[in-house]
Amino acid sequence: LLGDDRGAEETYELLKNEKGWERKTDFYISTFSFEQGWYDKALLFAIKAHAVNPVDSTISFHLSRCYSAVGEKEAALNAFKLAQGGSGQAQFNSQSWLSFYQFTLERDSGRCEEAGETLLKIPKDYFQDAEELKAAVDFARGKKDLVLLRHLKQ
């Protein structure tokens, strides 16, 4: 869709309204734009993604990188602090998204005991993404782990 602005806009609207994509579309466009060196465009979509998902540390970190790339260092620092859970007022573990990734690797490599332990370390406030929460709950149900299910209960 590069070079076809009308087609790209139509596809964007379709994806944004597709169940499961409503919280991801702007972030994906932003990361793609950033990788292409289109930093102003990346920033616009990162701001939109952050507005939809303000507690996602991955998005906050990416937003910080976008601000930095366009020279807005103060805004970059503020976004970076959000990615870390704020200055001294951590809402959730800034490493939660890395821990979730670790969980998926442990789960997918058959290390179920380790995967369960990793999930228990992730604060339940982290689970704003419905797909990630479903993956964690499905894993806990599969293990019949009531402690883990209670931990994940929203």
Side-chain angles (χ1 to χ4, degrees):
L1 295 173
L2 290 175
D4 179 8
D5 290 343
R6 175 184 249 161
E9 187 64 32
E10 289 172 4
T11 302
Y12 169 75
E13 289 303 323
L14 287 172
L15 282 174
K16 197 153 179 64
N17 294 316
E18 186 69 28
K19 184 167 176 55
W21 281 83
E22 61 275 353
R23 297 174 69 90
K24 300 175 183 176
T25 308
D26 293 321
F27 178 66
Y28 289 159
I29 291 173
S30 181
T31 56
F32 175 80
S33 297
F34 191 91
E35 290 170 2
Q36 301 305 310
W38 307 331
Y39 303 121
D40 290 326
K41 185 174 189 173
L43 178 58
L44 292 175
F45 283 99
I47 290 169
K48 288 181 183 183
H50 187 262
V52 172
N53 217 349
V55 297
D56 187 318
S57 60
T58 307
I59 292 173
S60 295
F61 178 72
H62 176 70
L63 178 61
S64 174
R65 293 184 65 214
C66 291
Y67 275 125
S68 181
V70 299
E72 295 186 35
K73 302 303 183 184
E74 189 69 30
L77 180 59
N78 290 335
F80 182 72
K81 287 181 180 178
L82 285 173
Q84 293 182 314
S87 56
Q89 300 280 325
Q91 297 173 12
F92 54 90
N93 182 344
S94 64
Q95 298 300 311
S96 294
W97 62 276
L98 290 173
S99 294
F100 185 80
Y101 178 62
Q102 179 181 340
F103 153 73
T104 63
L105 293 174
E106 291 167 345
R107 177 200 63 197
D108 296 347
S109 64
R111 298 177 181 204
C112 293
E113 190 67 32
E114 291 173 44
E117 291 171 10
T118 299
L119 270 182
L120 281 172
K121 294 175 187 172
I122 302 172
K124 64 180 167 183
D125 291 331
Y126 166 77
F127 291 99
Q128 301 299 313
D129 183 289
E131 289 179 19
E132 290 180 351
L133 178 60
K134 183 181 181 328
V137 169
D138 287 350
F139 173 80
R141 283 186 180 142
K143 281 187 59 180
K144 297 181 171 103
D145 188 330
L146 294 178
V147 172
L148 193 49
L149 283 168
R150 280 190 210 104
H151 173 72
L152 295 169
K153 185 177 178 182
Q154 297 279 327

